[in-house]
Amino acid sequence: NLEAFYNDGLRSIGPVWSRSNAFAHGVPFKFPASPDTGPGLTNDGIELVKACNEMGIAVDLSHINEKGFWDVARVSTKPLIASHSNVHALCPTTRNLTDNQLKAIKDTNGIAGLNFAVAFLRKDGAKNQDVPMSTLVEHVNHMVDIMGIDHVGLGSDYDGAPPPYDLDSTAKLPTLTSALRDAGYDDEALNKICHANWLRVLEETWGE
């Protein structure tokens, strides 16, 4: 069905959500825990990644487990994309990325998008929405330290999880950009984080 979906406009796909299916194994929501929670891509999953590469469909790795991530990294010829994942070293949930995963994203000229979900931001993994902007800045700083400014974006997850109170609406996005500016990110850096990095990666992935 992939060709029909493509013709209908599909340009990005997650092989899994946080459950297993015919293609791969998603990470269950656990804290504290490693994203290394089971086997990697199935044979069908390998063929799916190859087909997406050929057709110009982005493969989103945010819900896949660590072995699946590395299988995609081995098979794919396109930039690695984790659209809404944070830093495992700062919040050790299965849904976040290890430093080695972040390095792999950089090595493929890919991108990781900052997730606003409080359970993936807080050091205690709690769903308490009282989270300061400094916590999000800390995650961005770590991503930039590991990957460089060209590989960090915004991933929000507004439709899936509770964000910090100070960021519970798209109208409040300037609260985050102001915090990043106060942390030393200039206009060029903010443009990259807010849109330019995403545009580069998607253009390279889609080939359009």
mmCIF file of all heavy atoms in Angstrom, residues 188-207:
data_model
loop_
_atom_site.group_PDB
_atom_site.id
_atom_site.type_symbol
_atom_site.label_atom_id
_atom_site.label_comp_id
_atom_site.label_asym_id
_atom_site.label_seq_id
_atom_site.Cartn_x
_atom_site.Cartn_y
_atom_site.Cartn_z
ATOM 1 N N GLU A 188 20.629 33.486 14.000
ATOM 2 C CA GLU A 188 20.971 32.416 13.059
ATOM 3 C C GLU A 188 20.713 31.054 13.686
ATOM 4 O O GLU A 188 20.128 30.152 13.051
ATOM 5 C CB GLU A 188 22.430 32.521 12.634
ATOM 6 C CG GLU A 188 22.844 31.442 11.642
ATOM 7 C CD GLU A 188 24.304 31.538 11.238
ATOM 8 O OE1 GLU A 188 25.032 32.384 11.809
ATOM 9 O OE2 GLU A 188 24.730 30.769 10.358
ATOM 10 N N ALA A 189 21.129 30.881 14.938
ATOM 11 C CA ALA A 189 20.924 29.609 15.627
ATOM 12 C C ALA A 189 19.440 29.321 15.837
ATOM 13 O O ALA A 189 18.979 28.190 15.634
ATOM 14 C CB ALA A 189 21.650 29.619 16.968
ATOM 15 N N LEU A 190 18.677 30.337 16.224
ATOM 16 C CA LEU A 190 17.249 30.148 16.455
ATOM 17 C C LEU A 190 16.523 29.809 15.155
ATOM 18 O O LEU A 190 15.606 28.975 15.146
ATOM 19 C CB LEU A 190 16.646 31.394 17.092
ATOM 20 C CG LEU A 190 17.049 31.642 18.550
ATOM 21 C CD1 LEU A 190 16.492 32.977 19.042
ATOM 22 C CD2 LEU A 190 16.566 30.507 19.452
ATOM 23 N N ASN A 191 16.916 30.429 14.073
ATOM 24 C CA ASN A 191 16.304 30.103 12.778
ATOM 25 C C ASN A 191 16.549 28.639 12.419
ATOM 26 O O ASN A 191 15.660 27.953 11.898
ATOM 27 C CB ASN A 191 16.856 31.007 11.679
ATOM 28 C CG ASN A 191 16.279 32.402 11.731
ATOM 29 O OD1 ASN A 191 15.204 32.620 12.282
ATOM 30 N ND2 ASN A 191 16.995 33.363 11.162
ATOM 31 N N LYS A 192 17.755 28.162 12.696
ATOM 32 C CA LYS A 192 18.065 26.761 12.406
ATOM 33 C C LYS A 192 17.216 25.823 13.259
ATOM 34 O O LYS A 192 16.633 24.857 12.752
ATOM 35 C CB LYS A 192 19.549 26.486 12.643
ATOM 36 C CG LYS A 192 20.459 27.116 11.595
ATOM 37 C CD LYS A 192 21.912 26.769 11.849
ATOM 38 C CE LYS A 192 22.801 27.322 10.733
ATOM 39 N NZ LYS A 192 24.220 26.916 10.900
ATOM 40 N N ILE A 193 17.129 26.117 14.551
ATOM 41 C CA ILE A 193 16.373 25.262 15.461
ATOM 42 C C ILE A 193 14.883 25.287 15.130
ATOM 43 O O ILE A 193 14.206 24.254 15.156
ATOM 44 C CB ILE A 193 16.608 25.697 16.926
ATOM 45 C CG1 ILE A 193 18.049 25.382 17.346
ATOM 46 C CG2 ILE A 193 15.616 25.013 17.857
ATOM 47 C CD1 ILE A 193 18.425 25.943 18.705
ATOM 48 N N CYS A 194 14.369 26.467 14.801
ATOM 49 C CA CYS A 194 12.922 26.622 14.615
ATOM 50 C C CYS A 194 12.417 26.149 13.257
ATOM 51 O O CYS A 194 11.252 25.753 13.148
ATOM 52 C CB CYS A 194 12.527 28.086 14.836
ATOM 53 S SG CYS A 194 12.662 28.605 16.556
ATOM 54 N N HIS A 195 13.251 26.216 12.224
ATOM 55 C CA HIS A 195 12.727 25.773 10.925
ATOM 56 C C HIS A 195 13.781 25.339 9.911
ATOM 57 O O HIS A 195 13.569 24.379 9.173
ATOM 58 C CB HIS A 195 11.854 26.858 10.286
ATOM 59 C CG HIS A 195 12.565 28.130 9.952
ATOM 60 N ND1 HIS A 195 13.190 28.325 8.739
ATOM 61 C CD2 HIS A 195 12.759 29.263 10.670
ATOM 62 C CE1 HIS A 195 13.722 29.531 8.727
ATOM 63 N NE2 HIS A 195 13.492 30.114 9.872
ATOM 64 N N ALA A 196 14.930 26.014 9.861
ATOM 65 C CA ALA A 196 15.866 25.782 8.755
ATOM 66 C C ALA A 196 16.437 24.367 8.758
ATOM 67 O O ALA A 196 16.607 23.759 7.687
ATOM 68 C CB ALA A 196 17.000 26.813 8.797
ATOM 69 N N ASN A 197 16.737 23.821 9.925
ATOM 70 C CA ASN A 197 17.278 22.466 9.977
ATOM 71 C C ASN A 197 16.262 21.450 9.477
ATOM 72 O O ASN A 197 16.608 20.511 8.739
ATOM 73 C CB ASN A 197 17.701 22.119 11.411
ATOM 74 C CG ASN A 197 18.934 22.881 11.854
ATOM 75 O OD1 ASN A 197 19.683 23.397 11.039
ATOM 76 N ND2 ASN A 197 19.138 22.960 13.161
ATOM 77 N N TRP A 198 15.002 21.627 9.867
ATOM 78 C CA TRP A 198 13.955 20.733 9.387
ATOM 79 C C TRP A 198 13.815 20.807 7.870
ATOM 80 O O TRP A 198 13.699 19.785 7.192
ATOM 81 C CB TRP A 198 12.615 21.075 10.048
ATOM 82 C CG TRP A 198 12.328 20.302 11.285
ATOM 83 C CD1 TRP A 198 12.203 20.793 12.560
ATOM 84 C CD2 TRP A 198 12.128 18.898 11.400
ATOM 85 N NE1 TRP A 198 11.943 19.783 13.450
ATOM 86 C CE2 TRP A 198 11.885 18.606 12.761
ATOM 87 C CE3 TRP A 198 12.132 17.853 10.480
ATOM 88 C CZ2 TRP A 198 11.648 17.305 13.221
ATOM 89 C CZ3 TRP A 198 11.894 16.560 10.934
ATOM 90 C CH2 TRP A 198 11.662 16.301 12.283
ATOM 91 N N LEU A 199 13.824 22.013 7.327
ATOM 92 C CA LEU A 199 13.663 22.160 5.880
ATOM 93 C C LEU A 199 14.798 21.475 5.134
ATOM 94 O O LEU A 199 14.580 20.799 4.127
ATOM 95 C CB LEU A 199 13.586 23.640 5.509
ATOM 96 C CG LEU A 199 12.332 24.385 5.975
ATOM 97 C CD1 LEU A 199 12.414 25.854 5.584
ATOM 98 C CD2 LEU A 199 11.064 23.749 5.407
ATOM 99 N N ARG A 200 16.027 21.613 5.628
ATOM 100 C CA ARG A 200 17.173 20.980 4.975
ATOM 101 C C ARG A 200 17.032 19.469 4.960
ATOM 102 O O ARG A 200 17.209 18.815 3.922
ATOM 103 C CB ARG A 200 18.467 21.358 5.697
ATOM 104 C CG ARG A 200 19.732 20.849 5.010
ATOM 105 C CD ARG A 200 20.942 20.821 5.913
ATOM 106 N NE ARG A 200 20.891 19.714 6.872
ATOM 107 C CZ ARG A 200 20.730 19.886 8.187
ATOM 108 N NH1 ARG A 200 20.608 21.089 8.707
ATOM 109 N NH2 ARG A 200 20.697 18.823 8.984
ATOM 110 N N VAL A 201 16.713 18.891 6.116
ATOM 111 C CA VAL A 201 16.619 17.440 6.226
ATOM 112 C C VAL A 201 15.475 16.894 5.375
ATOM 113 O O VAL A 201 15.625 15.880 4.678
ATOM 114 C CB VAL A 201 16.447 17.027 7.703
ATOM 115 C CG1 VAL A 201 16.121 15.542 7.810
ATOM 116 C CG2 VAL A 201 17.711 17.339 8.485
ATOM 117 N N LEU A 202 14.332 17.550 5.394
ATOM 118 C CA LEU A 202 13.191 17.064 4.615
ATOM 119 C C LEU A 202 13.437 17.195 3.119
ATOM 120 O O LEU A 202 13.064 16.312 2.344
ATOM 121 C CB LEU A 202 11.925 17.809 5.026
ATOM 122 C CG LEU A 202 11.441 17.500 6.449
ATOM 123 C CD1 LEU A 202 10.221 18.349 6.788
ATOM 124 C CD2 LEU A 202 11.134 16.018 6.627
ATOM 125 N N GLU A 203 14.075 18.275 2.706
ATOM 126 C CA GLU A 203 14.401 18.418 1.290
ATOM 127 C C GLU A 203 15.346 17.316 0.835
ATOM 128 O O GLU A 203 15.183 16.735 -0.259
ATOM 129 C CB GLU A 203 15.008 19.796 1.015
ATOM 130 C CG GLU A 203 13.985 20.921 1.065
ATOM 131 C CD GLU A 203 14.629 22.307 1.025
ATOM 132 O OE1 GLU A 203 15.883 22.377 0.980
ATOM 133 O OE2 GLU A 203 13.883 23.299 1.061
ATOM 134 N N GLU A 204 16.332 17.003 1.670
ATOM 135 C CA GLU A 204 17.275 15.935 1.311
ATOM 136 C C GLU A 204 16.583 14.579 1.316
ATOM 137 O O GLU A 204 16.865 13.716 0.453
ATOM 138 C CB GLU A 204 18.459 15.919 2.286
ATOM 139 C CG GLU A 204 19.501 14.864 1.949
ATOM 140 C CD GLU A 204 20.726 14.924 2.851
ATOM 141 O OE1 GLU A 204 20.918 15.955 3.546
ATOM 142 O OE2 GLU A 204 21.477 13.945 2.865
ATOM 143 N N THR A 205 15.665 14.380 2.224
ATOM 144 C CA THR A 205 14.980 13.091 2.346
ATOM 145 C C THR A 205 13.955 12.897 1.236
ATOM 146 O O THR A 205 13.864 11.819 0.639
ATOM 147 C CB THR A 205 14.271 13.000 3.709
ATOM 148 O OG1 THR A 205 15.249 13.154 4.751
ATOM 149 C CG2 THR A 205 13.580 11.650 3.872
ATOM 150 N N TRP A 206 13.179 13.923 0.979
ATOM 151 C CA TRP A 206 12.115 13.820 -0.015
ATOM 152 C C TRP A 206 12.632 13.873 -1.446
ATOM 153 O O TRP A 206 12.004 13.343 -2.362
ATOM 154 C CB TRP A 206 11.085 14.932 0.172
ATOM 155 C CG TRP A 206 10.292 14.806 1.447
ATOM 156 C CD1 TRP A 206 10.103 13.674 2.194
ATOM 157 C CD2 TRP A 206 9.576 15.863 2.106
ATOM 158 N NE1 TRP A 206 9.314 13.959 3.287
ATOM 159 C CE2 TRP A 206 8.976 15.282 3.256
ATOM 160 C CE3 TRP A 206 9.372 17.204 1.830
ATOM 161 C CZ2 TRP A 206 8.194 16.038 4.134
ATOM 162 C CZ3 TRP A 206 8.593 17.959 2.712
ATOM 163 C CH2 TRP A 206 8.003 17.364 3.845
ATOM 164 N N GLY A 207 13.728 14.593 -1.655
ATOM 165 C CA GLY A 207 14.248 14.745 -2.997
ATOM 166 C C GLY A 207 13.329 15.543 -3.896
ATOM 167 O O GLY A 207 13.271 15.316 -5.103
#
